[in-house]
Amino acid sequence: MAEYDYDLFVIGAGSGGVRASRIAASHGARVAVAEEFRVGGTCVIRGCVPKKLLVYGSHFAEELQDAAHYGWSVEGMSFDWARLRDTVLRDVDRLNGLYEQTLSNNKVERFLERAEITGPNAVRLASGREISAKYILVAVGAWPVLPEFEGVEHCITSNEVFHLPELPRRVVIQGAGYIALEFAGIFNALGSQVTVVNRSDQILRGYDESLRDRLLQITMARGIEYKFQCPIRKVEKQEDGSLMVTAGNRDPFPADAVLVATGRRPKTDGLGLESAGVQLGEKGEIPVDEYSRTSCPSIYAVGDVTDRVQLTPVAIREGHAFADTVFGGKPRTVDYSCIPSAVFSQPPLAGVGLTEGQARNAYGNIKVYTSDFRPMKNVFADRMERGLYKLVVDANSDRVLGVHLIGPDAPEILQAAAIAVKAGLTKAQFDDTVAIHPSMAEELVLMR
C-alpha cells in the first residue's frame, strides 16, 4: 500500500493550483485539490476576467457616442446594469465549469470544501476527513484588505462589486492602485459620479510617472474627482439607504456605494501552517525559495499567497515549474525579470521593464524617447485625448530597458513589445523594423 493517500494535495484551485495539479498529474502523480468556494480562483471568479468584461461593457458608452462621427445614427440608447452583471456572472459560471473539467480530465480528485494543514504531510477537510500527502502545495491566493474605520461594514470590496443589485449613482473608491482605477473607469463610463480618495498624493505607484500623470489628466477631464491625502475616516448609513462619507479633513459627502480597494493580503489565516512549522512574513505571506519550497521541506506555495509577484500569469508559471521540479524530474525556476503588466483603466496603460526613474537610478546614462500623439480613432471621434508612448534606453549599449504606453489598446500592443525588451533588443533594432501604417503601434519604431 502507498505510504500516503496522495502524492500531492493542493489547497486552492485558482490559476496556480489548477496548473500545478494538472501538470503533476500528467507526470503520473496522484493528485487531489481542495477548494472552499469555486474552481478558477480570484482571476476567473472575482477578478481580472469578470472585471475585463465590465470594462468591455462600459466601452460601449463611448463607442455609441462616437458612432455619429462615423455616420451611424443610434437612437433610444439605454443601459441595463442587471443585464450586463448577469451576463458577466454567466460567463464566470462557464469558466468555472471549464476549470472543473480540466481537473476531471486529468484525473485530479476534487474536494469542494475547506482544507487545513495539520502537519507536514497531513490535511483535514471541513467534513472532518483526514488526508495524508507526500507533498502539500498552498495556492490559496490573497484577499482584499479592509482598513479599520467606523462604518467599514457598509463598504464593499472587489469581491462584492460584481453582484451589486443596481448601478450606484454615486461611487466613492478608496485607493489608487490598478483595481481602484479600473473600477473608477468602469463606473464613470457607465454614468456614475465617481470620487477617488487616497491616503497618498499618487496614483498607480510603481508605474512610469509620465503615464500616471497622463492618466490622471484624462480621467479628471472625464469627470472622475480625486481627493488626495484623504483616507476615509467614517461611513454612515442614512435612513434612505445611502451613505455619508467622511474622508480626511473634508466635509462629509454622499455616496450610494463605497468600494475599498487598498490592497490584498495573502489568505493564510486559519490555514494551520504553524502546525507544520511553515514560517510567515509580516503580512501573512509565505516566504519560499526559488523552487517554491517553504520552510517545511514537504510544503510548497505558489501564487499570491507568497512574497513574490501577485499576477495570474506568474502564478501559472510557478505552478507549472513546481510540478515539473517535484514530479517531472526537470527542476526549473521562474524568471521574474521583465514582467509586463497592464492597467485596464480608461484609457488603458501598460509597461514592461524599467521606468524612467528606475533606469536613471540603475544605469545613470539613459536616453528617453517619447511619442505624444492623438490616436486616429480619437481624431475621427473629435476626442482630444492623447496617447503617450515611451522608450527607455541604456545610452551606452543602446538596449531598450523599458517600454511604457498609454492609449487605446495599449495592453494588446505591449505584449509584442515585451518580447523585444525581454530579448534585450536595441533601439536600433526597433528603428530597423518597418512600421505598420496607419496604426498606433507604429509609433514604437518611429521615435527618433
Side-chain angles (χ1 to χ4, degrees), residues 215-235:
L215 181 64
L216 182 61
Q217 295 167 14
I218 292 175
T219 53
M220 288 177 64
R222 289 190 177 201
I224 296 176
E225 181 181 0
Y226 291 85
K227 298 179 187 292
F228 291 116
Q229 297 180 326
C230 193
I232 294 176
R233 294 193 291 113
K234 181 167 64 173
V235 174

Side-chain angles (χ1 to χ4, degrees), residues 24-46:
S26 73
H27 290 312
R30 296 169 301 134
V31 184
V33 58
E35 173 54 62
E36 62 180 313
F37 183 54
R38 304 183 75 183
V39 176
T42 293
C43 182
V44 170
I45 305 301
R46 63 182 81 83

